[in-house]
Amino acid sequence: MAIGEFGGAPEYGGPMLSSGLYWLYESGHAALQPARAFADVTRLYFKNPLNPLSHTTFGKSLAAGAELFERSTRRYGKPEWRIDSVMVGGERAPIHISTPWERPFCRLLHFERMFCHMPRRPQPKLLIVAPMSGHYATLLRGTVETFLTNHDVYITDWVDARMVPVSEGRFDLDDYIDYVISMLHFLGGDTHVVAVCQPSVPVFAATALMEADNDPYAPRSITLMGGPIDTRVNSTAVNKLAMERGIDWFRRNVITKVPFPHPGVMRDVYPGFLQLNGFVSMNLDRHLDAHRNLFMHLVKGDGDSAQKHREFYDEYLAVMDLTAEFYLQTVDNGFIRHCLPKGEMTHRGRLVDPGAIRNVGLLTVEGEHDDISGLGQTEAAHELCTNLPADKKRHYMQPGVGHYGVFNGSRFRAEVAPRIADFIMSLERPQAARRPVAVKLVS
């Protein structure tokens, strides 16, 4: 889930072709509409129990093939959160999702838990900064559900760049940092931040800037999970390919303009369909096997396995466009020039000094088999915080997981999340722990 899967980004033929690539994609997608509609009708016809052929292997194979074609050629929209309630202290609390803060490129979502009885355990305020790296924030659904049991959770919901009109202006790495600072000001202090993958760098930079300014709304703690703080450490294939190709290659070959009729028409973006090409290309055999298995599950009538496949790929294949300036600046600063660890990162002309971090707790989390952010890349943040006391620093390496397992899955729930929760509670102010939790009561 790093910013761009460089290994899957092929040479598209230079600026002449890449500038019109989005238009060609949209034309191809529109041309397939009749075929998709025919495949959907075929699927429904051969799954109808009143049709005698639906009970035969021939009919099931046609229905399965039609569904496979339709799913392989459709455009996947933004998934729903599907978090209706959560168990807190033995009580099932309904969830209401609200948007208390909003800017053109991001909405801040609040997962309000509607309690009948106030929980006795303190409920620290937690801001999860989701990655702006192709997938929607709903990819962290499991992360949110896990933290909701003991925290008052907010999460960044980044907006698809093709949906933002050009009149709203640019969005780059400096704007990202500004957004993080603005959200922390809105939340009003005593906030703990969890940055998942890509946002580790801007969250770290925002914290350094706020600490340098003695900002009272600086976070109580930051947890950086599988983030590319210093990609020179234990470089992965992603890092090496970025270095080999250079920023000009990305500017020439993966940047294109949003076509009509999207609201962001003529905005320069790194389009979602190119990102998806990179995601899939890195593990092509695995994805082909998964779809082959889906076909067999449908023919055999294994509904549970087929549904699990649908749920995973409905999320995995839903991608969003990134603004070109944000993507290129992130790749250049983080993967090519290594500005942050070299002490050269700036924010609107001002040098970002990690040494200014003196009071904010720092926890870094890495996965043993992470092939996106290699071991040591996130832990490098500790060396940069030269003035942070040792008792405010902590590092954890989760054995047996890759990049995704750092923030989701059974091992995250059982081993990673409890450590993050313990670290957060160790930094809670006594008066904050005694303060009543702001919740909405229901009868």
Side-chain angles (χ1 to χ4, degrees):
M1 212 164 69
I3 192 74
E5 308 290 34
F6 306 115
E11 183 83 38
Y12 283 103
M16 289 297 291
L17 181 57
S18 64
S19 62
L21 199 59
Y22 212 142
W23 302 79
L24 293 172
Y25 170 78
E26 291 290 339
S27 299
H29 191 268
L32 281 171
Q33 284 281 31
R36 274 196 300 276
F38 179 76
D40 207 27
V41 170
T42 301
R43 179 183 65 85
L44 293 173
Y45 178 76
F46 284 101
K47 286 181 71 71
N48 189 330
L50 298 179
N51 181 356
L53 291 175
S54 68
H55 304 286
T56 65
T57 301
F58 173 75
K60 292 177 181 178
S61 298
L62 284 178
E67 177 171 342
L68 209 58
F69 175 82
E70 192 278 330
R71 291 186 60 83
S72 299
T73 56
R74 80 162 66 155
R75 170 178 282 155
Y76 289 79
K78 181 180 178 181
E80 298 294 330
W81 280 98
R82 303 195 305 273
I83 301 178
D84 301 318
S85 63
V86 64
M87 188 69 73
V88 182
E91 175 187 340
R92 176 64 64 177
I95 297 293
H96 171 67
I97 304 177
S98 62
T99 307
W101 181 97
E102 187 171 4
R103 295 291 185 274
F105 290 91
C106 184
R107 300 185 308 152
L108 181 65
L109 302 184
H110 182 204
F111 291 81
E112 298 180 77
R113 298 164 300 170
M114 319 295 277
F115 294 117
C116 291
H117 303 91
M118 198 80 72
R120 293 186 177 183
R121 185 185 190 277
Q123 304 289 302
K125 193 175 354 177
L126 181 67
L127 169 62
I128 301 175
V129 183
M132 193 179 189
S133 57
H135 287 104
Y136 292 95
T138 51
L139 194 68
L140 303 185
R141 184 183 296 105
T143 315
V144 171
E145 286 182 310
T146 301
F147 283 123
L148 274 173
T149 58
N150 290 308
H151 299 81
D152 184 20
V153 177
Y154 295 78
I155 191 171
T156 57
D157 185 25
W158 300 104
V159 177
D160 190 337
R162 72 179 176 190
M163 304 305 294
V164 183
V166 176
S167 60
E168 295 289 354
R170 292 162 44 92
F171 182 86
D172 59 14
L173 189 56
D174 289 340
D175 294 307
Y176 197 121
I177 294 172
D178 288 338
Y179 274 35
V180 172
I181 294 174
S182 178
M183 282 183 273
L184 287 170
H185 282 188
F186 171 80
L187 293 174
D190 289 330
T191 303
H192 300 268
V193 180
V194 171
V196 180
C197 187
Q198 168 268 320
S200 294
V201 172
V203 165
F204 189 73
T207 302
L209 293 167
M210 296 177 80
E211 281 273 72
D213 293 337
N214 294 315
D215 193 324
Y217 300 119
R220 299 291 305 155
S221 74
I222 55 174
T223 299
L224 311 181
M225 307 183 70
I229 296 296
D230 188 350
T231 57
R232 298 172 301 177
V233 179
N234 194 18
S235 292
T236 64
V238 172
N239 312 138
K240 293 174 182 176
L241 283 166
M243 290 287 292
E244 290 173 4
R245 291 182 173 177
I247 196 63
D248 288 337
W249 184 93
F250 292 95
R251 185 178 290 108
R252 289 195 310 268
N253 293 285
V254 301
I255 301 302
T256 185
K257 292 186 181 294
V258 176
F260 180 84
H262 300 296
V265 58
M266 298 308 292
R267 178 180 293 281
D268 287 328
V269 297
Y270 176 32
F273 68 88
L274 284 187
Q275 299 172 66
L276 185 59
N277 174 67
F279 297 150
V280 173
S281 296
M282 288 188 72
N283 298 283
L284 183 59
D285 291 342
R286 188 180 69 185
H287 294 298
L288 289 175
D289 287 341
H291 283 75
R292 189 181 302 112
N293 291 335
L294 172 63
F295 179 85
M296 299 306 299
H297 293 322
L298 291 171
V299 172
K300 294 177 180 178
D302 186 352
D304 289 341
S305 297
Q307 186 58 29
K308 288 179 181 178
H309 174 101
R310 294 188 189 103
E311 290 175 356
F312 174 80
Y313 279 98
D314 283 352
E315 191 80 52
Y316 187 78
L317 299 178
V319 290
M320 55 187 285
D321 295 355
L322 308 180
T323 61
E325 56 273 13
F326 168 76
Y327 173 74
L328 293 173
Q329 190 176 353
T330 300
V331 172
D332 188 37
N333 283 5
F335 295 90
I336 297 177
R337 293 195 292 128
H338 313 289
C339 292
L340 179 61
K342 292 165 84 172
E344 299 172 357
M345 183 175 182
T346 61
H347 171 258
R348 304 202 182 282
R350 176 186 177 187
L351 191 66
V352 175
D353 179 18
I357 300 177
R358 305 176 305 277
N359 306 299
V360 178
L362 172 64
L363 170 63
T364 54
V365 182
E366 297 179 331
E368 180 183 14
H369 304 307
D370 194 334
D371 60 350
I372 302 298
S373 296
L375 279 177
Q377 292 188 7
T378 311
E379 187 181 9
H382 293 282
E383 294 184 11
L384 301 178
C385 297
T386 54
N387 295 315
L388 187 64
D391 62 351
K392 288 184 177 289
K393 296 180 180 179
R394 197 172 302 171
H395 175 71
Y396 176 67
M397 189 276 291
Q398 174 59 49
V401 302
H403 187 71
Y404 190 76
V406 171
F407 57 87
N408 220 329
S410 59
R411 293 198 175 180
F412 166 76
R413 292 189 297 270
E415 301 179 50
V416 178
R419 285 178 167 83
I420 297 175
D422 287 346
F423 179 71
I424 288 173
M425 286 303 299
S426 71
L427 296 171
E428 277 288 278
R429 295 171 175 167
Q431 61 267 32
R434 293 194 299 267
R435 189 171 55 238
V437 180
V439 295
K440 189 179 296 183
L441 299 178
V442 295
S443 57

